[in-house]
Structure formats: structure tokens, C-alpha cells
Amino acid sequence: MRTALVTLVLVAGVAAISAAQAPPVSPRFSNAATQARGLTRLHSLLVSQRGQLVFEYYGRGVTPRRLANLKSASKSIISALVGIAIDRKLIPGIQEPVATWFPELRRDPDPRKAAITIEDLLTMRSGLETTSNRNYGAWVTSPNWVRFALTRKLLAEPGTTMQYSTGSTHLLSAILTKASGTSTWQFAQAALAKPLGIPLPQWPRDPQGIYFGGNDMLLTPRQLVALGELYLNQGRFNGQQVVPASWVAESCVPKTISRFDAGREYGYGWWIDEVGDHPACYAWGYGGQYVFVFKELQTVVVATSSTATGDERRGYRRQLLDLIGGDILPAVRQ
């Protein structure tokens, strides 16, 4: 309960705290602050330990109230919404075929598409050709994003290999819209944002009005800490079970492996890897948007960064992970 109450104070205090300055840096995080100042693309770096905000850094021109574009870290929020929808019986379960909401899949020339499940979309194992990377531009300029995603070629059997695709998460947003009878934003407001005391701004929609599933959500760094604390506390906040505990746990169980890094695994919209020799379950977005949950350390680490370029450019991702693993986590262990 103490952790939940501290987190509530942390979230509720966003509007009351002056945005001009972050709190003074504790001596044990002084080296981390020095390293953070050397990363010009880093907008914010926050650390919460056992429900208490113990380190807070903001780059030049960035304030605590500044909304960060989560990019693909939004996928982790879509996953949480799916878990809530299943718990409320709006979606029968993870093995439910996607064709329940898109019956046109049963008429597709490739009959294997009818076997794609909710779990396949969550784990990026639909088998459908990706809408990301080289196909992203064609997808987001198409007149119907859902149809574009559903009509991609099937490159693998559903439920087998990972093919990272934002189209998969957008299909989940479309399913949430149909299953809840409201928009994804309205459902997220009522089911997730309101219980956390977080105002969730509207974000972009596709030509049919479906909120972008898995990209471009907006939250402040402190609100992202609250999201991390929610998952650290098995989906509970202020005495309320917001996300089912079983869903939180299952989201951080590896279901598949990245095609580009054998050490990086994927659950239900959350990545699983080690940072500084500590297991982490984390949300990750383009440019360097992160919400790390270190369960064994009872710690949440949030980073937001410039979205102008990918975080793999000029080794920025490695530098940021080295800062967290080499400076932040040792300070936490003190």
C-alpha cells in the first residue's frame, strides 16, 4: 500500500510542481547525472525505487510537464488495454481468432490467415508481412490501415516466428474499438488513465478514425514512471487492480525472440532483456523512449529522448544502456 500511495503522490503532483527545475541530485547519483548531461539526445532520465522518485534529470529546454512521444513504447500500453479487455470479457481470450472481428480473413485466398489469434498480434507472430520499416510509408499513406495490414502476404505460419510490425498492434486497437463499443482513447481513459490519475491526450487516428495502435501516444516522464510502477506492483495502484496481475506477469514471459538480437526477447507488447546484469521487462520506442521495470531491484527507470533519429544511430542506445547499467543501477543497489 505504501508504494501505491507514494506513486499516487508522484502522479498527482505533476500539476503542482514547478516545471522549471528538477529536484537536487542525490550524491549517489552524481556520476549518473554527469553522464546524462553528456547525452545531448537525452530529454529525461528518471528513477523510482520502491515507489519513491530518487533521481530526476532533464535535458536543456525540457521540463517535467513536457509530453514525450512514446513512439513504439505505446505498444506496451495497447497490451495493457487488451489484458483489461480480456479480464472484462470484452475479448474472449488470447486464443480468439482475429477473424472474429475481421470476417474477411475467412474469405482471403490464403486460408491460413483465419488462424491468426490475439496472441499472435501481441507477440508479433501473425506471420503477415510487416507494415514497419520499408513498408511504413506506404501503410500510413494508404486509405485504410486495417485493410492494408490484413491483406499483406503471409510470410510464415501464424504463431511461429517474430515479424515486428506496428500493423499488428494497430489491428489490436481496431479490435479494442469494436469489442468495447468506444474508441481506443475512450477505453484507455476510463480503464487505465483515470485509475492512475493521468490525463491521456488524444493521439493520431487512421482514416477510419481508429486511434493509432502502437505509436505516437503522449505522456510526461513522471506519468511513464507511474506506468512502470503499475507493472512493478503486479497491476495494482492505490489498492485497485487496474491491470490483471496474471496479465502483467505473462506480458514479461518471453514468447519469441528478436530477429536482430538473439538476447532480446518479447512477451505481450513488452521486451525482455538484461541491463547491467539485471533482468528487465521494458517498453521501448524509436529514438530512445524506455520504461524499464527491474523487479528484483524494485526499481523503475524511465528515459525519453529526441525522436529525430533512431536510437541505434551513432551508438546512442548503447550509451544510454551503459549509463543505466553502469551508473544508475549501481547507485540503486547502494
Side-chain angles (χ1 to χ4, degrees):
M1 177 63 75
R2 179 182 178 277
T3 297
L5 289 175
V6 172
T7 307
L8 178 61
V9 172
L10 185 154
V11 176
V14 170
I17 296 174
S18 170
Q21 295 179 344
V25 175
S26 165
R28 64 176 168 144
F29 289 102
S30 59
N31 192 56
T34 299
Q35 297 302 317
R37 284 191 288 271
L39 298 181
T40 57
R41 289 159 60 179
L42 182 63
H43 285 179
S44 72
L45 184 62
L46 287 75
V47 181
S48 171
Q49 186 177 16
R50 298 184 181 88
Q52 182 179 356
L53 196 58
V54 294
F55 176 73
E56 196 170 10
Y57 164 83
Y58 294 96
R60 181 175 297 179
V62 181
T63 69
R65 293 180 183 175
R66 178 170 169 174
L67 291 167
N69 187 330
L70 311 189
K71 292 299 183 179
S72 285
S74 306
K75 293 175 172 63
S76 303
I77 296 178
I78 293 293
S79 168
L81 297 176
V82 171
I84 295 170
I86 290 175
D87 185 61
R88 296 182 180 184
K89 311 301 182 186
L90 300 175
I91 295 175
I94 59 172
Q95 298 306 325
E96 187 70 13
V98 173
T100 298
W101 294 275
F102 306 115
E104 59 267 32
L105 284 180
R106 297 192 178 99
R107 303 187 295 272
D108 193 274
D110 191 333
R112 297 175 296 170
K113 287 186 181 182
I116 299 172
T117 66
I118 293 290
E119 184 174 40
D120 294 335
L121 296 181
L122 284 164
T123 58
M124 301 291 179
R125 295 182 300 176
S126 71
L128 294 168
E129 181 184 18
T130 183
T131 63
S132 298
N133 304 319
R134 66 183 182 280
N135 296 329
Y136 187 81
W139 176 47
V140 296
T141 56
S142 70
N144 189 313
W145 295 8
V146 168
R147 184 172 61 217
F148 187 100
L150 292 174
T151 55
R152 294 307 89 198
K153 293 180 181 179
L154 206 61
L155 302 181
E157 293 290 332
T160 56
T161 60
M162 183 179 187
Q163 179 79 358
Y164 188 88
S165 176
T166 302
S168 290
T169 330
H170 189 65
L171 291 177
L172 289 172
S173 180
I175 290 170
L176 285 167
T177 301
K178 293 186 177 187
S180 68
T182 63
S183 71
T184 301
W185 172 70
Q186 289 171 311
F187 184 69
Q189 280 278 72
L192 188 61
K194 186 176 180 180
L196 292 181
I198 293 174
L200 181 63
Q202 296 186 44
W203 65 96
R205 290 178 278 181
D206 74 6
Q208 284 65 49
I210 298 168
Y211 280 88
F212 204 164
N215 204 352
D216 290 346
M217 283 182 162
L218 301 169
L219 289 174
T220 69
R222 288 174 179 163
Q223 291 166 351
L224 288 173
V225 170
L227 174 66
E229 287 284 347
L230 179 68
Y231 268 65
L232 185 63
N233 294 318
Q234 295 81 50
R236 291 185 66 81
F237 182 83
N238 200 26
Q240 179 182 354
Q241 195 71 48
V242 180
V243 181
S246 59
W247 187 262
V248 171
E250 200 63 28
S251 295
C252 294
V253 173
K255 305 294 190 301
T256 188
I257 301 174
S258 169
R259 296 171 57 199
F260 307 104
D261 184 348
R264 190 185 305 134
E265 299 170 305
Y266 199 67
Y268 290 164
W270 289 76
W271 294 93
I272 302 105
D273 202 351
E274 285 195 352
V275 179
D277 296 325
H278 292 280
C281 182
Y282 61 100
W284 175 20
Y286 179 87
Q289 326 310 319
Y290 288 98
V291 180
F292 290 99
V293 178
F294 296 96
K295 188 174 180 180
E296 68 171 1
L297 297 175
Q298 287 294 290
T299 295
V300 171
V301 178
V302 164
T304 65
S305 309
S306 168
T307 59
T309 57
D311 47 336
E312 75 281 356
R313 290 284 298 274
R314 298 185 179 179
Y316 175 69
R317 182 190 306 155
R318 184 72 268 157
Q319 294 168 359
L320 180 56
L321 294 181
D322 286 347
L323 165 58
I324 295 171
D327 294 291
I328 292 292
L329 297 187
V332 164
R333 289 196 300 268
Q334 292 181 21

